[in-house]
Structure formats: C-alpha cells, structure tokens
Amino acid sequence: MITPDTYRNLYNLDGKVALVAGGAGGIGRAVCEGLAAFGATVLIGEQNCCLKADPLAAEISAAGGQAHAVTLDVLNIPQLGPVMSELVAHFGRIDILVNCTGTHKEAPAEEFSEEDWDRVVDLNLKAAFFLSQAVARLQIAQKSGGKHIHISSVRSLLGIRRGYIAYCSSKGGLNLMIKQLATEWAKHNIT
C-alpha cells in the first residue's frame, strides 16, 4: 500500500535549495509551501520582498519549514548573474529553479500594441531564459546538476478567441525553450 511516507521518500528535498521566482504569487505560494514541506530551503524571489515574500517566508518558517525572502527582479537581466552568485554565496547552492513569473494583456490582435507585446514577451519568455541561464551557469560550474521548472499554460498549445496573442505566443515559445535547454544542458545533469 502506498502511504504518505512513500511519497515523502520519493520526493525528499532535504538539503536542497530551491529558488522560486514569483514565489509570493498564487501559484508561487503553493510551490513554496510544497517545496518547504518536502524539506527544501526555499528562496522566495520577488521584486519587492516586503509586500508578500517576507510574510510568506515567516509563515513557512513558523510551520517548521525553511524559507527566506530574496529580492529578485527577473526583468533586470544584467543583475541576474550577480544576484545568483550572491544567493549561492549565502545559501551554498541552488539546486532547483521554479519560475512562476508571468503576465498577460488582453486585446484583439489587430489592436495589440508593441509596448504591450514587449512587456508580455519580456516577462514570459525573455526573463525566463536569462533566469535559467544565470542559474545554470552556477550549476554547471559547481558540477551539481539541477532542476529547472517553468510554469507554462494550456494556452501555450491552444489559441483562444479572446485577445491573448502575446500571452499564447510567449508561452508557446517558453515550451520550446524548455525543450531546447533540457537538450543542451542534459550533459550537465540539468533537467
């Protein structure tokens, strides 16, 4: 018979450090709580830690988990490498990356602005790649391997009658980006 301990043993994350970008949002919060419940030290990455990340880290810690709020602006591409290096210097490693950031703008395709397109694609696709790249560079240098998880959407595979052109396009691109990174980084044991 499969018991909760069976799953606990299968997914034991004791000693692992997990960075969750967008960790204080709806999906991110559940991810952080789950990772902490299975033993990971969770780094809750948010642009403004004081609003939601600090209280969430306190809640997880009060429940017996290990969590820390960290300042992370995924759209500040030049700072991603230095921020990851600081996190590794402080926490020793990053074993797991979970990207829960994302946005959308609803507007008919024929009216969609370049500014809105860039905002959606920059966060949903561009930032996702450079975040993974920054973490992977450290994992490759450490020869530690790792896991990279990006939250996508059913809209990455299916269109929608409403105006989600940039969202669907960026999430579709995200899906292929994930496959490409898995292929390139498999030799480094990064999945």
Side-chain angles (χ1 to χ4, degrees):
M1 177 175 171
I2 296 177
T3 66
D5 285 340
T6 303
Y7 291 109
R8 175 85 168 110
N9 292 334
L10 284 171
Y11 301 106
N12 186 337
L13 299 175
D14 290 344
K16 302 291 184 185
V17 177
L19 171 62
V20 183
I27 294 171
R29 179 184 184 92
V31 169
C32 289
E33 290 169 347
L35 289 167
F38 282 94
T41 297
V42 179
L43 309 180
I44 306 166
E46 285 290 340
Q47 188 172 356
N48 184 340
C49 289
C50 298
L51 292 178
K52 294 181 184 175
D54 282 333
L56 177 57
E59 286 177 36
I60 291 171
S61 296
Q66 295 181 27
H68 308 273
V70 297
T71 301
L72 179 62
D73 178 359
V74 297
L75 290 171
N76 189 343
I77 307 299
Q79 285 302 307
L80 289 176
V83 167
M84 295 310 127
S85 294
E86 286 177 28
L87 292 177
V88 168
H90 191 267
F91 296 100
R93 58 192 302 117
I94 299 173
D95 301 291
I96 303 163
L97 167 65
V98 183
N99 175 24
C100 296
T101 63
T103 191
H104 82 282
K105 166 71 177 184
E106 187 171 336
E110 68 274 13
E111 297 172 14
F112 214 88
S113 73
E114 180 180 3
E115 179 183 347
D116 288 336
W117 176 273
D118 288 346
R119 184 177 59 81
V120 172
V121 173
D122 282 355
L123 183 57
N124 293 357
L125 184 57
K126 181 179 178 181
F129 167 67
F130 286 103
L131 178 61
S132 259
Q133 181 190 63
V135 172
R137 283 177 172 165
L138 296 170
Q139 291 171 331
I140 291 168
Q142 294 173 165
K143 301 184 184 326
S144 61
K147 309 289 184 218
H148 291 219
I149 302 162
H150 294 272
I151 305 300
S152 187
S153 169
V154 68
R155 292 294 160 215
S156 66
L157 302 170
L158 303 169
I160 185 172
R161 289 184 182 161
R162 297 191 337 247
Y164 273 52
I165 184 62
Y167 182 82
C168 293
S169 298
S170 64
K171 291 296 186 172
L174 180 66
N175 285 1
L176 196 52
M177 181 202 83
I178 293 163
K179 291 175 185 178
Q180 181 63 30
L181 294 181
T183 301
E184 287 194 38
W185 292 340
K187 65 187 174 193
H188 301 293
N189 198 28
I190 297 172
T191 58

